[in-house]
Amino acid sequence: GQNIDQPTEMTATEGAIVQINCTYQTSGFNGLFWYQQHAGEAPTFLSYNVLDGLEEKGRFSSFLSRSKGYSYLLLKELQMKDSASYLCVLMDSNYQLIWGAGTKLIIKP
Amino acid sequence: DVKVTQSSRYLVKRTGEKVFLECVQDMDHENMFWYRQDPGLGLRLIYFSYDVKMKEKGDIPEGYSVSREKKERFSLILESASTNQTSMYLCASSVADRTTGELFFGEGSRLTVL
């Protein structure tokens, strides 16, 4: 079966850098996604990795290692508005999305 | 601005009542989905649809049904609501290409069943 693990909660300081890790087990793989969800709001798409390596998009970067079943989301120059939950999402061999429970990121001034 | 609109943000219903959750998207997307989101769990897929009048069961379809009579509208129905269906319900849509994992979500409908 499939399984996704990510920390439940993390705290970081405004202006700093934070890395949110995600590990997964799956028999088939078609990509890994990160979504952001502010409290009381809908999830929104952040990034997509299907090949190993780092994808950079502004202050956010996402990394994937398929052999290790590992991804991380890196957020730089943290701002208060980055306080949100970050969802790690796996696309399996049938192109179905498997959602992690999310990491709640708390940013302190 | 593209949108997925869910009819009700908050609902309170009694056990045994029939509940309709409506979702409309204006992006001409082929694919539509209904998820529920509960604390400490990832989103769980209830039903999805890749075309008008087409529906497929997701991971937790028991106690739910859906209707897709028009491309832009996907309705979730709880025939007889139960307390364990108290949850946040999220509707989403995406383009036809199933390899694309980018979903566009509505704001969610928080249902409480008493």
Side-chain angles (χ1 to χ4, degrees):
Chain A
Q2 297 109 338
N3 188 52
I4 296 175
D5 288 308
Q6 54 181 130
T8 303
E9 188 174 296
M10 298 180 69
T11 302
T13 304
E14 189 177 15
I17 299 173
V18 71
Q19 178 175 310
I20 302 174
N21 295 325
C22 171
T23 58
Y24 63 87
Q25 295 89 41
T26 183
S27 53
F29 179 86
N30 273 308
L32 191 128
F33 303 81
W34 286 93
Y35 277 73
Q36 180 190 59
Q37 186 177 24
H38 286 100
E41 298 184 11
T44 55
F45 171 84
L46 281 179
S47 68
Y48 168 58
N49 294 70
V50 67
L51 299 176
D52 290 353
L54 189 68
E55 294 282 341
E56 297 186 77
K57 191 186 292 186
R59 294 189 298 113
F60 292 9
S61 303
S62 57
F63 172 84
L64 175 68
S65 169
R66 288 172 296 170
S67 62
K68 295 182 179 178
Y70 170 67
S71 174
Y72 66 73
L73 182 68
L74 190 72
L75 292 75
K76 301 177 184 177
E77 301 170 17
L78 285 170
Q79 301 175 10
M80 297 303 293
K81 68 178 182 179
D82 297 330
S83 292
S85 289
Y86 292 86
L87 312 180
C88 178
V89 189
L90 176 68
M91 179 174 275
D92 69 12
S93 55
N94 294 318
Y95 301 102
Q96 299 296 327
L97 297 179
I98 313 299
W99 296 75
T103 297
K104 183 178 180 180
L105 178 63
I106 299 168
I107 310 296
K108 296 187 174 180
Chain B
D1 197 18
V2 294
K3 282 197 81 168
V4 178
T5 303
Q6 294 184 227
S7 54
S8 306
R9 288 297 304 273
Y10 301 95
L11 303 95
V12 179
K13 298 291 182 181
R14 298 211 174 269
T15 301
E17 281 192 84
K18 192 169 186 176
V19 182
F20 291 90
L21 300 179
E22 300 281 337
C23 175
V24 177
Q25 50 96 2
D26 65 1
M27 294 169 280
D28 200 34
H29 283 167
E30 286 75 14
N31 305 335
M32 296 189 75
F33 307 83
W34 274 106
Y35 286 91
R36 62 178 283 176
Q37 185 174 32
D38 299 291
L41 298 177
L43 272 68
R44 292 183 290 169
L45 183 63
I46 304 171
Y47 268 96
F48 60 100
S49 169
Y50 291 141
D51 201 354
V52 176
K53 297 195 184 294
M54 174 270 180
K55 59 186 178 184
E56 288 196 33
K57 293 180 180 179
D59 300 317
I60 52 162
E62 296 78 18
Y64 304 95
S65 62
V66 290
S67 172
R68 190 152 183 216
E69 295 296 317
K70 293 184 178 181
K71 187 177 185 180
E72 67 271 19
R73 188 180 298 269
F74 193 36
S75 303
L76 180 69
I77 303 147
L78 289 68
E79 292 290 340
S80 177
S82 62
T83 54
N84 63 12
Q85 293 179 310
T86 291
S87 187
M88 170 69 85
Y89 290 89
L90 291 166
C91 174
S93 70
S94 73
V95 298
D97 183 358
R98 290 166 61 173
T99 66
T100 301
E102 184 174 1
L103 303 184
F104 295 85
F105 283 89
E107 292 294 318
S109 299
R110 184 168 293 283
L111 171 67
T112 301
V113 182
L114 303 176

